[in-house]
């Protein structure tokens, strides 16, 4: 009887200990989660002032982001993720490679070159608005402009150039602006993203983009993360869902569904509509911040835009 | 006879005033749905078809079709309230979805 009581006591203690340890585990995982957002790296600027190292902060996020995909698709060369779903789906890749033999965006690139080289009425060119004459610089976009405190995308910079030269800005999303963007991207193929997070305001923009990416929205209550991380590599109806890692390297894209070249933001709008959320405007602050976040997460990949997608 | 006459008058008034009361109630729901929809928009979480639904409800009400306007207005209000709820949830929990 005494033994039985002792056994019951032992079982009771181990049960309670188990509960306690599982609580600790939960607490640990919660703190791990908050670490991913709030763990701030502090550096000394040399004069005794403590500064937050935003760049390191973001690089840490990017490392985790990449690890997620490389773990899920271990047999895929990490550099290949800039090809989106074609990196992971051999059947789709085969079709895509056939399409890329006669790229449907070729005309857009040619027309973009003509538009890019055509002078404004004042004699200035697009080349005058960009570093290195606008050739081979796509990898520097989007960047955070510390003067205006906003994320500048390539499309925004093209329109800023037009306004500077007394021209009406193009409509965003498709048409001439995307043809010029396609040409500029074409001249940057193979270059690795060259992005930075220079200050607190830039980090705030990055965090806003990150928050957008992970926030569920719309009547279907779905986030970017739900499809492009959670369902990555799985089928949604007849299509396999591609990774978010490498999303921004290939823009602008020629989509078969659009039958024309279009911007990344146009795709963002479509995604938002698909989950029955009211989309934001093209080149809105929300989408620019999202592009900034996604680009920083793909910062070690090479430019391969323009590219064709389904 | 006087009493019967009074009852008839009361019934007549209530018969004609009933639809206008319903119309008033539906208008209140539409107004509240519009207000909540704007709130959801300001939070950045407006749903795709709420606004259209509110417009359709208003159109139906103006065309004196309360049986169509009523359910539409209620659905729109529900959507707007859910969008606000979603925004508040996202504000507190978005980090939870980081793998």
């Amino acid at each position: 009887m005494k033994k039985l009581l002792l056994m019951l006591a032992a079982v009771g203690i181990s049960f309670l200990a188990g509960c306690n340890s599982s609580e600790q585990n939960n607490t640990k995982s919660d703190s791990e989660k908050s670490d991913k957002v709030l763990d701030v790296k502090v550096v000394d600027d040399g004069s005794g002032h403590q500064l937050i190292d935003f760049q390191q902060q973001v690089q840490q996020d990017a490392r985790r982001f990449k690890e997620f995909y490389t773990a899920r698709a271990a047999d895929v060369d990490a550099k290949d993720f800039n090809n989106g779903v074609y990196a992971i789906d051999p059947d789709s890749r085969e079709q895509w490679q056939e399409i890329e033999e006669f790229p449907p965006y070729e005309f857009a690139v040619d027309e973009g070159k003509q538009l890019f080289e055509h002078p404004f009425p004042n004699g200035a060119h697009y080349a005058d608005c960009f570093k290195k004459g606008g050739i081979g610089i796509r990898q520097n976009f989007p960047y955070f402009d510390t003067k205006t405190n906003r994320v500048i995308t390539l499309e925004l910079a093209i329109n800023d150039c037009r306004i500077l030269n007394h021209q009406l800005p193009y409509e965003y999303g498709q048409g001439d602006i995307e043809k010029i963007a396609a040409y500029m991207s074409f001249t940057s193929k193979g270059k690795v993203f060259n992005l930075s997070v220079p200050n607190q305001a830039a980090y705030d923009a990055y965090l806003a983009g990150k928050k957008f990416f992970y926030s569920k929205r719309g009547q279907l209550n779905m986030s970017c993360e739900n499809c492009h991380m959670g369902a990555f590599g799985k089928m949604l109806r007849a299509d396999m869902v591609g990774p978010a890692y490498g999303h921004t390297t290939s823009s602008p894209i020629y989509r078969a569904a659009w039958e024309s070249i279009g911007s990344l933001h146009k795709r963002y709008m479509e995604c938002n509509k698909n989950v029955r959320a009211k989309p934001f405007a093209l080149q809105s602050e929300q989408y620019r911040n999202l592009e900034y976040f996604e680009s920083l997460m793909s910062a070690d990949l090479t430019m391969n835009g323009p590219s064709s997608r389904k | 006879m006087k009493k019967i006459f009074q009852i008839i008058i009361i019934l007549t008034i209530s018969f004609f005033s009933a639809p206008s009361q319903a119309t008033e109630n539906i208008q209140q729901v539409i107004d509240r749905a519009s207000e909540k929809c704007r709130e959801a928009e300001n939070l950045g979480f407006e749903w795709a078809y709420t606004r259209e639904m509110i417009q359709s409800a208003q159109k139906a009400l103006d065309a004196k079709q309360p049986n169509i306007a009523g359910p539409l207005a209620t659905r729109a209000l529900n959507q707007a309230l859910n969008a606000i709820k979603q925004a508040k949830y996202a504000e507190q929990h978005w980090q939870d979805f980081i793998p």
Side-chain angles (χ1 to χ4, degrees):
Chain A
M1 184 62 186
K2 204 176 177 183
K3 267 189 179 177
L4 190 69
L5 277 172
L6 276 168
M7 273 173 71
L8 279 172
V11 169
I13 287 166
S14 62
F15 173 74
L16 286 174
C19 286
N20 196 26
S21 73
S22 80
E23 267 174 28
Q24 278 173 350
N25 285 343
N26 284 342
T27 316
K28 195 181 170 190
S29 72
D30 282 349
S31 71
E32 273 173 3
K33 271 181 186 172
S34 65
D35 277 355
K36 287 171 191 168
V37 187
L38 305 170
D39 182 22
V40 174
K41 300 274 175 257
V42 178
V43 289
D44 202 310
D45 70 346
S47 59
H49 293 105
Q50 301 286 297
L51 299 171
I52 297 170
D53 189 342
F54 300 112
Q55 196 66 29
Q56 199 182 337
Q57 206 56 35
V58 171
Q59 278 167 359
Q60 185 179 302
D61 280 0
R63 206 168 39 248
R64 284 174 175 154
F65 199 79
K66 181 181 176 179
E67 278 168 10
F68 172 84
Y69 291 101
T70 49
R72 286 272 289 263
D75 54 335
V76 173
D77 181 1
K79 287 177 189 165
D80 208 22
F81 273 102
N82 60 358
N83 291 320
V85 76
Y86 307 120
I88 55 165
D89 182 11
D91 291 340
S92 300
R93 189 184 182 94
E94 206 177 306
Q95 289 173 18
W96 171 67
Q97 279 171 333
E98 273 182 37
I99 292 167
E100 288 278 323
E101 278 179 30
F102 302 98
Y105 50 79
E106 212 169 21
F107 295 113
V109 173
D110 290 345
E111 285 177 48
K113 185 174 190 283
Q114 284 174 14
L115 287 164
F116 183 84
E117 289 171 352
H118 190 76
F120 296 118
N122 63 4
H125 291 79
Y126 285 105
D128 301 325
C129 298
F130 296 94
K131 284 178 187 168
K132 295 181 181 173
I135 304 299
I137 56 154
R138 166 72 179 88
Q139 71 281 2
N140 302 326
F141 290 89
Y143 70 90
F144 191 83
D145 184 12
T146 50
K147 285 176 194 159
T148 56
N149 274 343
R150 60 180 188 158
V151 173
I152 306 289
T153 60
L154 182 58
E155 285 86 349
L156 205 70
I158 291 169
N159 261 350
D160 281 353
C161 181
R162 288 183 63 78
I163 292 164
L164 193 71
N165 288 290
H166 314 293
Q167 298 299 296
L168 284 172
Y170 284 131
E171 271 185 37
Y172 288 115
Q174 58 190 14
D176 287 349
I177 195 164
E178 293 311 324
K179 289 173 186 169
I180 294 171
Y183 169 65
M184 292 176 77
S185 298
F186 186 76
T187 65
S188 314
K189 277 201 176 193
K191 293 187 187 281
V192 181
F193 262 128
N194 177 29
L195 308 171
S196 68
V197 185
N199 58 18
Q200 177 73 54
Y203 189 64
D204 289 345
Y206 161 80
L207 271 187
K210 183 177 178 179
K211 187 176 172 185
F212 191 103
F213 184 86
Y214 289 106
S215 294
K216 290 169 185 284
R217 59 187 67 242
Q219 198 176 4
L220 302 190
N221 200 36
M222 287 175 81
S223 64
C224 309
E225 181 271 337
N226 278 141
C227 285
H228 297 289
M229 291 187 100
F232 154 65
K234 293 175 184 160
M235 300 298 283
L236 268 187
R237 294 189 182 168
D239 289 320
M240 190 177 279
V241 184
Y245 178 52
H247 249 171
T248 55
T249 60
S250 55
S251 71
I253 51 167
Y254 181 97
R255 277 200 87 208
W258 298 339
E259 295 180 349
S260 68
I261 200 145
S263 71
L264 180 70
H265 290 207
K266 191 179 172 184
R267 191 74 189 109
Y268 285 160
M269 282 184 90
E270 277 187 346
C271 280
N272 278 169
K273 279 182 198 165
N274 287 346
V275 299
R276 296 186 195 167
K278 188 189 170 199
F280 293 93
L282 296 161
Q283 296 299 324
S284 59
E285 188 185 5
Q286 288 85 349
Y287 286 162
R288 281 185 285 116
N289 290 344
L290 179 61
E291 183 179 341
Y292 191 46
F293 165 73
E294 282 205 304
S295 299
L296 283 160
M297 291 300 97
S298 310
D300 62 340
L301 293 174
T302 55
M303 301 292 105
N304 59 342
S307 190
S308 63
R309 293 288 184 267
K310 279 181 197 172
Chain B
M1 185 64 188
K2 204 177 174 183
K3 269 192 177 175
I4 292 170
F5 190 66
Q6 277 177 345
I7 289 167
I8 288 170
I9 288 172
I10 288 166
L11 281 174
T12 312
I13 289 168
S14 62
F15 176 78
F16 284 108
S17 68
S20 75
Q21 183 63 46
T23 303
E24 214 171 273
N25 288 345
I26 294 167
Q27 189 59 58
Q28 276 179 10
V29 177
I30 291 173
D31 292 344
R32 189 160 159 74
S34 302
E35 183 197 324
K36 290 293 162 188
C37 187
R38 273 196 299 277
E39 196 178 325
E41 185 192 22
N42 291 337
L43 292 166
F45 280 78
E46 186 183 340
W47 289 6
Y49 303 111
T50 315
R51 209 169 281 232
E52 274 177 36
M53 228 177 257
I54 293 168
Q55 284 167 357
S56 300
Q58 188 66 61
K59 216 172 166 183
L61 192 65
D62 293 345
K64 294 189 168 72
Q65 294 176 311
N67 52 334
I68 295 173
L72 272 174
T74 311
R75 276 175 63 191
L77 179 59
N78 274 335
Q79 282 206 358
L81 291 171
N82 278 335
I84 292 166
K85 201 167 144 187
Q86 187 180 50
K88 286 178 181 167
Y89 183 84
E91 186 62 39
Q92 289 171 354
H93 294 282
W94 67 271
Q95 294 104 317
D96 298 346
F97 302 104
I98 301 172

